Amino acid sequence: MTMIKGVGLGPTSRIEPVRTKAAEQGGTAAAGVETKPGAREAAGTAVSQMLADGPPVDSDRVAELRAKIADGSYTLDPRAIAEKMIALDLGPKGDA
């Protein structure tokens, strides 16, 4: 049986071990990944363009949620929220 990790016990997520390994090897990318000349600059340009464009926002969905919150019809499903939080920590069901 897999249990949820407590606060402060080991890596905080599945990403943390990769970050730790990359940091130990003196890099910031995933360990063992080679980059071609100019790749870093191209990636920087792409990131700059994405930042300039702003975050992807579904304006219709935002308006719908705001209306539901305003009229009191927006409901939460605590079980679904808990399952998603657990999946973020443990991975999909059956992934052990």
Side-chain angles (χ1 to χ4, degrees), residues 1-2 16-17 29-31 37 40 60-61 64-65 77 84 86:
M1 178 174 176
T2 306
E16 194 63 34
R40 184 170 287 181
D60 293 335
R61 179 73 173 141
E64 176 187 339
L65 290 172
D77 181 358
K84 295 240 181 188
I86 291 169

Side-chain angles (χ1 to χ4, degrees), residues 20-41:
T20 303
K21 189 172 184 179
E24 288 171 356
Q25 295 180 353
T28 56
V33 175
E34 295 182 26
T35 57
K36 296 180 182 177
R40 184 170 287 181
E41 292 80 12

Side-chain angles (χ1 to χ4, degrees), residues 8 12 19 21 23 25-26 38 42 58-59 61 63-64 66 82 87 89:
T12 57
R19 287 183 181 158
K21 189 172 184 179
Q25 295 180 353
D58 183 348
S59 300
R61 179 73 173 141
E64 176 187 339
R66 284 185 176 167
D89 191 45

Side-chain angles (χ1 to χ4, degrees), residues 8 10 16-17 27 35 37 39 51 59 62 65 71-72 74-76 78-79 84:
E16 194 63 34
T35 57
L51 289 172
S59 300
V62 171
L65 290 172
D71 70 16
Y74 182 74
T75 59
L76 298 173
R79 180 177 294 270
K84 295 240 181 188

